[in-house]
Amino acid sequence: MIDPKDLSARFPGDFLFGVATAAFQIEGASKADGRKPSIWDAFSNMPGRVHNRDNGDIACDHYNRLEADLDLIQSMGVKAYRFSIAWPRILPDGTGPINEKGLDFYDRLVDGCKARGIQTFATLYHWDLPLTLMGDGGWTARSTAYAFQRYARIVMERLGDRLDSVATFNEPWCSVWLSHLYGIHAPGERNMEAALAALHHTNLAHGLGVEAIRDAAPSVPVGLVLNAHSIFPGSDGPADRAAMLRAFDFHNGVFFDPVFKGHYPPAFMEALGTQMPEIAEGDLATINRPLDWWGLNYYTPMRVADDPSEGAVFPATVAAPPVEESRTDIGWEICPSALRSLVEELYARYDLPDLYITENGAAYNMGIEDGAVDDQPRLDYYARHLSVCADLVGEGYPLRGYFAWSLMDNFEWAEGYRMRFGLVHVDYETQVRTIKKSGLWYGALAGRFPHGNHKAG
Ligand code: IFM
């Protein structure tokens, strides 16, 4: 087992160790204090969409247990908390009247963190689109981008004086492709044209959001959280290598290129450009606003082979088999070296600002035995990936912090509650929290920071 003390010595004293969650996955209280449904409330209550038809009505009941959960974070020695803000609490219909009680909750959350010496990293959109906006087409409608801009401004006018950092979107890959092309996440669409519309409108919303944030709270560092894919070809043959490049454009380039270069990938546009929605004059300049930081969520690599079938649609790839034998309980291949090569490739391709690993972690579903959770495989997963992070810092990449996904077991989207990613075990019947072996280990590491000549941010 890697000793937290040895590992800590490989990071600078001001490296930030945090934990991450998202509103829909933990808050529950789905009808409290004026909140209205999001697309995930609707989706999870449809038959066949989410395992066991689990939903977010109660989740971890975090909304009602806020103070105790913040005490828990503090007790673990963690110095930063990444959480998301629920749009349907702030603007229950997406547009229209502001719900003050929704803002009050995040006031309490931010103030509670400050009082405990925990830095606040807020994400504005982690997939809980107000359901009313679906009536206009959700992300397939350009108007949703402007609704997001107003929401971003309202949040930052209220919380911007106390936030340490803000991200516009979490993993647009999921809310675009997984939600509109693969049909696995809400709203469950399976249509390329819908997905391309969601793509451009999400990118546009990001850019409009950055403008609003800078205007309302100029001193808060703004970023974007991307689950960039570490993509490998299934073989060394030219067809699979070409497939890998197409997959890069499709899964990564469509987000990185407009945000960091100001255009969509040429090969992607050549293949699918005629199906894109209107890209109005000025859109790409809006999307291409400079950022203070970006977040990388990494779990597992993607392996692709060429799809030779006639009429295969861009990126025309099929899944290639995993190379590493070890998998987490959700079936994801464990490959820490892919995190390293991914960061190297992205910094080679793009002019990127400071980096935070905003999510990394593993699903293991062991329960409580004799009052404890022995989740050694999760601990090992963290240790191996953090070791790669220490290498990246040593090589000079501007990696400033790391957030474990997740603080506690929670609603794992289409998997419902059956997949557990927490450092803390949640008994969903009693809402009792038990820090797992991995959580104690992570706390021992995080608790050593900040140290040396560095001051906490
Ligand atoms: O639970 C999710 C999170 O909401 C976004 N990133 C991946 C995690 C694990 O699937």
Side-chain angles (χ1 to χ4, degrees), residues 22 25 126-127 170-171 297 299 332 359 405 410-413 421:
Q25 293 178 271
H126 198 127
W127 312 346
N170 177 74
E171 299 184 3
N297 293 356
Y299 292 88
W332 297 351
E359 287 182 26
W405 183 272
N410 58 51
F411 177 80
E412 178 51 26
W413 308 110
F421 274 88

Side-chain angles (χ1 to χ4, degrees), residues 28-254:
S30 62
K31 297 183 182 71
D33 294 339
R35 182 189 183 276
K36 282 194 180 176
S38 72
I39 55 173
W40 269 97
D41 294 274
F43 190 73
S44 55
N45 283 300
M46 289 175 193
R49 298 298 203 166
V50 171
H51 172 76
N52 196 38
R53 216 154 151 182
D54 290 342
N55 62 40
D57 285 0
I58 299 171
C60 306
D61 198 30
H62 171 73
Y63 190 83
N64 295 310
R65 294 165 194 266
L66 175 65
E67 296 295 330
D69 284 341
L70 297 182
D71 285 345
L72 178 67
I73 298 174
Q74 187 185 32
S75 76
M76 291 171 72
V78 167
K79 301 301 179 325
Y81 181 38
R82 174 175 179 249
F83 58 95
S84 79
I85 292 174
W87 188 348
R89 287 199 195 280
I90 311 298
L91 295 155
D93 288 305
T95 58
I98 297 171
N99 179 33
E100 288 297 327
K101 286 187 171 170
L103 285 167
D104 291 347
F105 172 70
Y106 296 104
D107 257 343
R108 293 198 296 278
L109 195 163
V110 172
D111 290 345
C113 285
K114 288 274 145 194
R116 292 168 177 84
I118 299 166
Q119 292 194 35
T120 47
F121 279 58
T123 301
L124 294 175
Y125 188 76
H126 198 127
W127 312 346
D128 42 359
L129 184 74
L131 185 59
T132 309
L133 291 181
M134 255 339 271
D136 300 328
W139 287 110
T140 69
R142 192 175 165 96
S143 52
T144 298
Y146 293 96
F148 175 80
Q149 183 178 41
R150 174 169 175 256
Y151 157 65
R153 178 183 297 279
I154 289 165
V155 170
M156 295 312 286
E157 280 172 351
R158 179 69 168 262
L159 303 178
D161 57 336
R162 284 154 294 148
L163 284 179
D164 292 291
S165 186
V166 66
T168 52
F169 282 77
N170 177 74
E171 299 184 3
W173 182 91
C174 292
S175 50
V176 171
W177 298 141
L178 204 57
S179 302
H180 293 85
L181 186 61
Y182 305 138
I184 293 168
H185 278 189
E189 185 68 84
R190 289 172 200 264
N191 178 287
M192 181 60 91
E193 231 167 289
L196 293 171
L199 168 68
H200 184 62
H201 299 142
T202 299
N203 283 334
L204 179 62
H206 159 75
L208 293 169
V210 172
E211 281 179 5
I213 293 164
R214 294 229 191 274
D215 200 37
S219 60
V220 180
V222 189
L224 168 66
V225 172
L226 296 163
N227 55 328
H229 288 74
S230 185
I231 306 175
F232 297 95
S235 76
D236 274 343
D240 284 353
R241 294 197 70 77
M244 177 199 69
L245 293 175
R246 292 194 303 274
F248 186 96
D249 280 349
F250 190 78
H251 297 290
N252 297 332
V254 296

Side-chain angles (χ1 to χ4, degrees), residues 262-332:
H263 58 75
Y264 283 100
F268 164 84
M269 286 305 277
E270 203 173 300
L272 295 171
T274 56
Q275 293 178 65
M276 284 286 274
E278 184 200 3
I279 300 177
E281 208 184 324
D283 280 5
L284 285 160
T286 299
I287 298 167
N288 182 218
R289 296 262 178 268
L291 295 178
D292 300 302
W293 63 276
W294 73 286
L296 171 61
N297 293 356
Y298 172 80
Y299 292 88
T300 189
M302 173 186 271
R303 301 188 190 273
V304 298
D306 179 47
D307 179 357
S309 48
E310 205 177 316
V313 175
F314 192 90
T317 58
V318 289
V323 167
E324 304 293 336
E325 269 177 24
S326 50
R327 319 268 180 94
T328 63
D329 283 352
I330 204 169
W332 297 351

